[in-house]
Amino acid sequence: MESGFASGRILIKDIGHLVGFGAKAPGKLSGADMRQLPVIQDGWLALEDGRVIDGGAMADFPGIADWNGLEVLEAAGRCVLPAWVDSHTHLVHAAAREGEFVDRIRGLSYQEIAAKGGGILNSAKALRAMSEDDLFAVSLERMERLMRMGTGAIEIKSGYGLDLESELKMLRVARRLGALDRIPVKTTFLGCHAVPEGWDGPAAYTNYMVKEVLPAVVNEDLADHVDIFCEDGYFGLDETRTLLEAAQLRGLPAKVHVNQFKASGGVALCVEYGAMSVDHLEVLRAEDVAELATGDTIPVALPLCSLFLDLPFTQGRTLVDAGCALAIATDFNPGSAPSGNMHLAAALGSVRMGLEPIEALAAATTNGAAALGIETEVGGLGVGQEASLMVTRPLGTVDEALYAFGDPIAERVLLRGHWVD
Ligand code: NIG
Ligand code: FE
């Protein structure tokens, strides 16, 4: 697959519904504004050197003045959607954990599997044994698969290393994926994902992560954010505060796993520290919603995890009605969501979280970009944004894109001006 921004010009004409175009990026859309993600019926879009340069309604199409080197695509009524922005993944991991999947089918819970040394610790064992180059190769294959499905920007977490060398190895692999320059890749240091064997509880381990590993991560500029699994049986409010304080001193924003199984005040703590996002929120109390409605912290729902682990779906409708800028991501990881399918995640936003299709699209594109601080670059097709988009199969309306929840919708994917094979 090609890297960097393509040189050349592309014109897409006769687009049935053009989503996300405007004079500027749609940016972060909160509450009722999520329905304002722009849609132009019967539109056109002009791209140059991997970026959007113009567009509008066919009724106002100015014609083609310069045919030189221009690729013209007749969309013949197909929709053009911004590429997905997946703001929460654990894409860098060594191997699948389908054995645990079968254990769950036979009756064990996710937590019971973890207590037996499975789960995150199982992934850590495999990852520590793998060379950086092999880890890069398997991760690249996954990233390319996601790109073929229309994902145009991703976040990647560490958290299966759980010691200095292995956490750095994961983050170096994530940075190498970003350095390929195919799509924007943001990285997150998740050293506090589980307490590995040999440690006397989460407090001592968190101190080690904060004192020894975080400085090394910062030193090599390996992470854009920090994260911690704030959850009963993993890390508590004290450890979360310790990490968020240390990260704040180093200028690193936080994106935190919180309220997956229980709600215990993690949301309020994250809002207090100005976290960029709080992710999961399968369990949500009225006071958590009130906290999120007041701050800038973006709630990120991970409906593929709810589907796969049979957890409650995040109350998307409630969060949007409270005025939040809800985002949707995949959580792609070998334990709780072995899928990077953003179309399915977005569709579940409508099927199970009460979002109207246009709101679910906003959550999976421009608000996902906002959850990574890259909403001027990706997540929409405003003038100046990256030319990263999907040309769908023939669809009657934008709503149909999410109604068709299990079937692929992207006939062609363009990332930074390159057509993806
Ligand atoms: O987001 N909840 C914590 N971490 C991941 C799952 C990790 C795993 O099971 O490997 C998640 O669901
Ligand atoms: Fe996760």
Side-chain angles (χ1 to χ4, degrees):
M1 284 188 199
E2 291 174 276
S3 9
F5 289 87
S7 54
R9 299 187 300 138
I10 301 174
L11 171 71
I12 311 180
K13 281 179 66 201
D14 296 310
I15 301 168
H17 294 84
L18 167 61
V19 179
F21 173 77
K24 59 182 180 56
K28 173 173 158 179
L29 297 175
S30 305
D33 286 346
M34 287 179 70
R35 287 190 211 156
Q36 303 306 318
L37 183 68
V39 180
I40 294 176
Q41 209 174 328
D42 199 15
W44 61 279
L45 188 69
L47 313 166
E48 191 167 319
D49 296 341
R51 297 207 176 254
V52 176
I53 60 159
D54 208 350
M58 282 308 292
D60 304 319
F61 182 57
I64 301 170
D66 178 8
W67 282 91
N68 194 21
L70 181 69
E71 176 186 348
V72 179
L73 179 72
E74 299 282 349
R78 290 167 173 77
C79 294
V80 168
L81 311 177
W84 309 111
V85 178
D86 194 348
S87 69
H88 181 138
T89 85
H90 306 253
L91 174 135
V92 173
H93 54 265
R97 302 208 308 258
E98 73 283 1
E100 294 179 6
F101 169 58
V102 177
D103 284 346
R104 275 201 306 110
I105 293 168
R106 291 178 181 158
L108 287 184
S109 72
Y110 180 77
Q111 289 99 324
E112 283 165 343
I113 291 166
K116 289 201 314 171
I120 296 165
L121 297 182
N122 182 356
S123 281
K125 208 164 142 195
L127 185 129
R128 287 172 178 184
M130 197 174 227
S131 74
E132 185 182 312
D133 284 345
D134 287 349
L135 190 59
F136 176 75
V138 294
S139 302
L140 176 58
E141 187 276 329
R142 285 181 204 120
M143 186 174 88
E144 289 181 336
R145 183 148 42 92
L146 268 48
M147 289 164 62
R148 286 194 289 273
M149 291 197 283
T151 295
I154 50 169
E155 182 256 19
I156 302 177
K157 299 173 190 299
S158 67
Y160 293 126
L162 311 180
D163 63 24
L164 175 70
E165 264 323 302
S166 314
E167 284 294 303
L168 295 181
K169 177 167 74 180
M170 283 189 81
L171 289 168
R172 286 184 192 126
V173 166
R175 279 287 193 237
R176 280 172 66 185
L177 292 172
L180 293 174
D181 224 11
R182 295 194 182 152
I183 56 172
V185 176
K186 290 286 183 178
T187 66
T188 302
F189 169 52
L190 174 58
C192 293
H193 196 193
V195 180
E197 265 171 46
W199 284 94
D200 186 18
Y205 175 72
T206 301
N207 277 333
Y208 159 69
M209 278 291 145
V210 165
K211 298 230 159 65
E212 312 264 334
V213 186
L214 179 65
V217 167
V218 172
N219 209 18
E220 256 188 74
D221 189 24
L222 288 175
D224 302 307
H225 331 96
V226 299
D227 190 352
I228 180 167
F229 190 9
C230 177
E231 190 69 47
D232 262 20
Y234 292 85
F235 297 88
L237 294 181
D238 289 345
E239 288 82 33
T240 304
R241 187 180 289 277
T242 302
L243 177 77
L244 265 48
E245 233 156 57
Q248 203 170 55
L249 286 174
R250 294 176 176 278
L252 278 185
K255 298 173 70 64
V256 180
H257 281 76
V258 70
N259 287 31
Q260 183 175 5
F261 301 107
K262 274 202 181 135
S264 49
V267 170
L269 184 68
C270 291
V271 172
E272 179 193 331
Y273 278 87
M276 267 175 107
S277 70
V278 282
D279 303 39
H280 272 291
L281 308 172
E282 286 88 340
V283 183
L284 201 56
R285 305 172 304 184
E287 59 255 56
D288 298 325
V289 177
E291 286 287 346
L292 289 167
T294 59
D296 287 333
T297 302
I298 294 181
V300 180
L302 306 168
L304 298 182
C305 174
S306 298
L307 181 70
F308 193 71
L309 292 189
D310 197 15
L311 301 176
F313 283 81
T314 302
Q315 294 165 46
R317 183 74 267 145
T318 306
L319 286 162
V320 174
D321 287 346
C324 295
L326 179 73
I328 290 177
T330 63
D331 197 15
F332 185 23
N333 76 76
S336 69
S339 163
N341 187 335
M342 277 297 288
H343 174 227
L344 182 60
L348 286 170
S350 288
V351 178
R352 301 301 297 271
M353 289 163 49
L355 301 178
E356 295 189 14
I358 195 72
E359 294 173 316
L361 266 181
T365 56
T366 195
N367 281 356
L372 296 175
I374 52 175
E375 67 276 22
T376 57
E377 290 294 301
V378 292
L381 295 170
V383 172
Q385 289 196 278
E386 297 195 2
S388 296
L389 54 83
M390 292 169 271
V391 181
T392 70
R393 60 186 159 85
L395 298 170
T397 60
V398 175
D399 292 344
E400 194 185 341
L402 297 196
Y403 153 88
F405 80 102
D407 289 354
I409 47 167
E411 237 175 44
R412 300 188 75 183
V413 174
L414 185 80
L415 298 177
R416 291 184 158 173
H418 298 288
W419 292 111
V420 177
D421 300 330

